[in-house]
Amino acid sequence: MHSHAHGAHVQSHAGHAHPPLEPSVLGWAMVATLGLVVAEIFGGVLGRSVALLNDAVHNLSDVPALGISYLAMRWAQRPADDEKTYGYHRAGILAAFTNATVLVLLALWLGYEAIERFRSPVAVVESWMIWTSLAALAVNGGITLALVRGRGDLNLRSILVHNFGDALSNIAIIVGAIIIHMTGLRWIDPLLGIAIGLLVLWSSIGILRQSSHILLEGRPQGMSVEDVARAVLTVPGVQEVHDVHIWSLGDAHNALSLHARIPDMHLDECERILSDIQGKVADKFGIGHTTVQLERAGLPAQSGYVMPEPFKKVESV
C-alpha cells in the first residue's frame, strides 16, 4: 500500500520556499550568451589572447547547457504518465549531470591549450582583453543575478555556478591584462587560461557528484535511514521496521518504501497506521511519496519476512 503526502511536504517547507523560476529566463540567458561568445571570439582573435578565446569557448559551452536546462525545466512540469510513472522530476538532474560532464572535459581541454601557449608565448593586445571582458562581465553577472533565486534546484545551480565562474574569470582577465600592460609578462595570459580551466573543473565536480548520487538512487543528503526507521517506530501499533529504502526523484521530491510489522487488526486500523506513517515522514523528513508493506507481527524468523538486524521498538521497563 502506498500514499502521497504532497500537501504536508509543501506545508513543511513553505516557510523558506522561493517562487519557481520561469524557463523563459534561461531562454533570454541563452540569447545573451550567444552574443557574448561572438564578441569574445572577435576580441580574442584581434587581441591575440588565449585566455579570452578560452573564455569564449567556456561561454560557448553555456549555450547547450542552458538549452538542456530549459528543456529539463519544461519536462519537469509535465505530470506522471503510464511510461514515466514517477513523473519527469529527474529531467533536471540528468541535465545537471550532462552539463557537468561536458564542463569537466572542457576544463581538461582548456588546460592543455594554455600549456601549449606557455611553450610559445604570444604578445596580446591588452585593450581588447579589457573591453571585451568588461562586456562579458556585464552579461555573466546579469545572468548570475537572474538565476540566484533558483539556486535550490540542482539543475539551475549547475548553470548558476557556471556563470558565477564565468564572471570571476572575466575579472581575472581584466586584472591580467592590466598586469601585462604594466610589466610585459606574456606568460600571464596562458596562466589565466589554466586558472579558468581549474575553476571550471572545481565547480563541475561537486555537481557531477551530487547528480550521479541521485541518478544512482542514493539516499537524500542530510537524511538517515535509521532516523526515518526510528521515527516510524514511534507510530502507535508499529512494532518493527525493516527493508527501508529512501531515494530522491529530484530536488525536493523524496520517496520511501519500507516493511512495517503490526499486530492483527481490522483494515480500518491498518489505514490509520498508514496515514500516521505518511504524516510522520512527511512532516519530519519532507518525504512526499511513501510505500508501506504491512506484515503481521509475531512471525518466526525462518518465515523470510524478517530482514537482518531490523529496527525494533524497545519496550520500556
Side-chain angles (χ1 to χ4, degrees):
M1 304 179 73
H2 72 275
S3 55
H4 300 271
H6 300 299
H9 172 63
V10 172
Q11 182 179 3
S12 64
H13 289 72
H16 58 271
H18 294 279
L21 196 70
E22 290 296 326
S24 59
V25 174
L26 294 180
W28 285 110
M30 189 161 49
V31 172
T33 302
L34 274 173
L36 171 60
V37 168
V38 173
E40 285 197 314
I41 289 176
F42 274 103
V45 171
L46 296 175
R48 298 191 294 274
S49 169
V50 67
L52 207 52
L53 287 174
N54 284 352
D55 198 52
V57 176
H58 183 195
N59 282 299
L60 182 61
S61 72
D62 286 351
V63 177
L66 287 165
I68 292 172
S69 296
Y70 174 83
L71 292 175
M73 288 185 70
R74 289 294 190 189
W75 289 341
Q77 295 173 349
R78 296 170 61 181
D81 53 37
D82 58 352
E83 287 191 356
K84 305 296 186 297
T85 56
Y86 273 123
Y88 293 78
H89 300 297
R90 283 197 178 165
I93 305 301
L94 185 60
F97 179 83
T98 304
N99 292 340
T101 301
V102 171
L103 287 175
V104 169
L105 297 175
L106 181 64
L108 296 176
W109 181 75
L110 289 175
Y112 172 79
E113 289 295 318
I115 291 173
E116 288 296 308
R117 183 61 70 93
F118 262 120
R119 297 174 179 173
S120 303
V122 175
V124 299
V125 182
E126 300 87 347
S127 59
W128 277 105
M129 293 177 64
I130 292 174
W131 290 111
T132 306
S133 294
L134 282 173
L137 179 61
V139 173
N140 286 319
I143 293 175
T144 300
L145 291 176
L147 295 178
V148 72
R149 184 158 50 90
R151 61 187 180 276
D153 183 281
L154 184 60
N155 173 30
L156 291 177
R157 190 155 74 247
S158 68
I159 302 298
L160 175 63
V161 169
H162 194 171
N163 275 277
F164 182 68
D166 290 343
L168 291 179
S169 66
N170 297 144
I171 295 173
I173 292 174
I174 293 171
V175 174
I178 295 173
I179 295 175
I180 293 172
H181 178 74
M182 295 175 62
T183 64
L185 297 175
R186 296 182 178 180
W187 53 264
I188 295 292
D189 184 59
L191 180 64
L192 289 172
I194 291 180
I196 293 171
L198 291 175
L199 179 64
V200 177
L201 189 63
W202 175 81
S203 64
S204 304
I205 289 177
I207 294 171
L208 191 61
R209 186 185 298 114
Q210 284 182 270
S211 57
S212 61
H213 179 76
I214 294 175
L215 293 174
L216 291 173
E217 307 284 357
R219 173 178 54 83
Q221 288 186 343
M223 196 178 301
S224 165
V225 173
E226 181 174 351
D227 288 344
V228 172
R230 295 199 183 282
V232 173
L233 282 175
T234 64
V235 174
V238 178
Q239 296 185 2
E240 180 182 303
V241 176
H242 60 271
D243 203 12
V244 181
H245 300 276
I246 312 171
W247 67 101
S248 175
L249 304 173
D251 287 304
H253 297 278
N254 298 322
L256 164 70
S257 70
L258 59 89
H259 294 208
R261 301 185 73 178
I262 61 176
D264 284 331
M265 60 181 63
H266 292 293
L267 185 59
D268 57 346
E269 287 296 308
C270 293
E271 291 290 347
R272 178 191 61 77
I273 290 179
L274 283 173
S275 178
D276 289 347
I277 292 175
Q278 166 194 345
K280 176 72 69 173
V281 299
D283 293 339
K284 192 169 183 179
F285 302 101
I287 298 175
H289 184 101
T290 306
T291 302
V292 180
Q293 178 172 319
L294 297 178
E295 301 168 355
R296 180 168 61 84
L299 290 174
Q302 58 268 28
S303 67
Y305 285 96
V306 180
M307 298 292 290
E309 300 183 7
F311 295 95
K312 295 183 180 180
K313 182 170 291 184
V314 179
E315 300 294 339
S316 58
V317 180

